[in-house]
Amino acid sequence: MAQVKSAQFTVGKLDAGMAMLLTEDYQLIEFPSVLLPKGVVLGSVVSIDVGRDRETERRQRNEFRALQERTLEDFGRRHPQAPVVRAGHATQTWAVIEWEPLELAAAELRSLHLYRDGQRMMQAMPSTVEAANSARAVKTTGLDVDHEYTFQIEMRTSAGTYFSNTVAVKTHSLENLTGVRVCFGDCGTQAEEDNLKETVKRIGASWTDNVTLSITHFVTRHKAGAGFEAALRCNIPIVKPDWLFACEANGKLQPAIKFGVE
């Protein structure tokens, strides 16, 4: 319950939105004239009730403490977490590095960088946390055949710089075809495609129905179709079915350039 105290004042001056009020014991106070009743002029006597609303004080105090607690929770207790990376698909000359969704708390992502053997690479990386958490992987190319590398991600944020764990990746030898993963386009009849899939199994490779980051080759007889266009956009080698037979016959990975689709 508000405690109210009343007092009377005489209006001594009205100027620039402020009123000079004179108490009965000749004390002068300034008071916003907008709060005075309409029609007040010099010499008018006004009564002002002043009260303390303890209930409102208590409510505002609790709201302020709750705001402080939320601020502490968002900015004081929660911090960005170091990225967690793992090795994805690897072939003779490239590898995919994957990461868990980035945790930035209330911080902003400034940049992501990929390190190979301790050296920062000129690798295109997602520029926003939304893009990073959508992609969650990057393909790094130009690697040596049958060679081991270490990879790490640096995450720069408005709250500091965080480095991920380090993962080791070894590229495959030319004779190791387990990293080959193909996607089939127009390869003729269903029987012909089934024969190609059997060849894939025999050489220890794999196939998938969709063009993804982990595809090594797109196998087709013709330059047409949604899969073909997707492979072009992703810069995936496009080869004729004969490429698979050549890999099996020679027992090692064959250059894609010799089996380009005309």
Side-chain angles (χ1 to χ4, degrees), residues 113 195 256:
H113 304 285
N195 184 39

Side-chain angles (χ1 to χ4, degrees), residues 14-200:
L14 291 169
D15 183 33
M18 295 299 294
M20 305 300 295
L21 304 183
L22 189 64
T23 66
E24 294 177 351
D25 55 355
Y26 305 108
Q27 293 185 18
L28 196 65
I29 66 169
E30 293 184 351
F31 193 82
S33 59
V34 70
L35 298 180
L36 294 175
K38 291 184 178 180
V40 169
V41 296
L42 294 180
S44 296
V45 177
V46 295
S47 295
I48 298 178
D49 295 333
V50 180
R52 181 178 181 182
D53 191 339
R54 295 185 181 274
E55 183 62 32
T56 301
E57 286 181 12
R58 191 160 35 249
R59 177 177 54 80
Q60 292 180 344
R61 189 184 306 116
N62 292 337
E63 290 176 353
F64 180 69
R65 287 175 178 171
L67 175 61
Q68 286 183 311
E69 187 64 27
R70 291 196 302 271
T71 303
L72 178 61
E73 183 67 27
D74 291 342
F75 298 97
R77 295 188 180 132
R78 296 176 58 234
H79 304 281
Q81 301 298 310
V84 177
V85 301
R86 61 177 178 269
H89 196 71
T91 68
Q92 281 76 8
T93 58
W94 58 258
V96 173
I97 306 301
E98 304 173 346
W99 56 82
E100 294 296 321
L102 302 180
E103 296 287 345
L104 272 74
E108 296 179 358
L109 179 65
R110 297 286 173 79
S111 60
L112 280 176
H113 304 285
L114 182 66
Y115 282 71
R116 185 181 73 193
D117 293 337
Q119 299 294 319
R120 179 174 162 182
M121 301 178 62
M122 299 300 293
Q123 173 78 45
M125 298 287 283
S127 59
T128 66
V129 66
E130 293 80 12
N133 286 342
S134 175
R136 293 178 56 184
V138 64
K139 179 191 286 187
T140 176
T141 59
L143 306 181
D144 293 334
V145 175
D146 196 19
H147 189 85
E148 185 168 309
Y149 298 91
T150 59
F151 292 93
Q152 187 179 35
I153 285 180
E154 176 192 33
M155 180 177 73
R156 296 183 180 181
T157 76
S158 57
T161 299
Y162 299 82
F163 283 90
S164 74
N165 57 305
T166 301
V167 294
V169 176
K170 186 174 182 180
T171 55
H172 296 177
S173 64
L174 291 178
E175 293 75 22
N176 183 354
L177 300 177
T178 58
V180 173
R181 183 172 293 169
V182 302
C183 181
F184 293 106
D186 182 5
C187 294
T189 66
Q190 185 61 48
E192 290 175 309
E193 184 172 321
D194 290 342
N195 184 39
L196 290 172
K197 290 180 178 179
E198 289 299 321
T199 303
V200 170

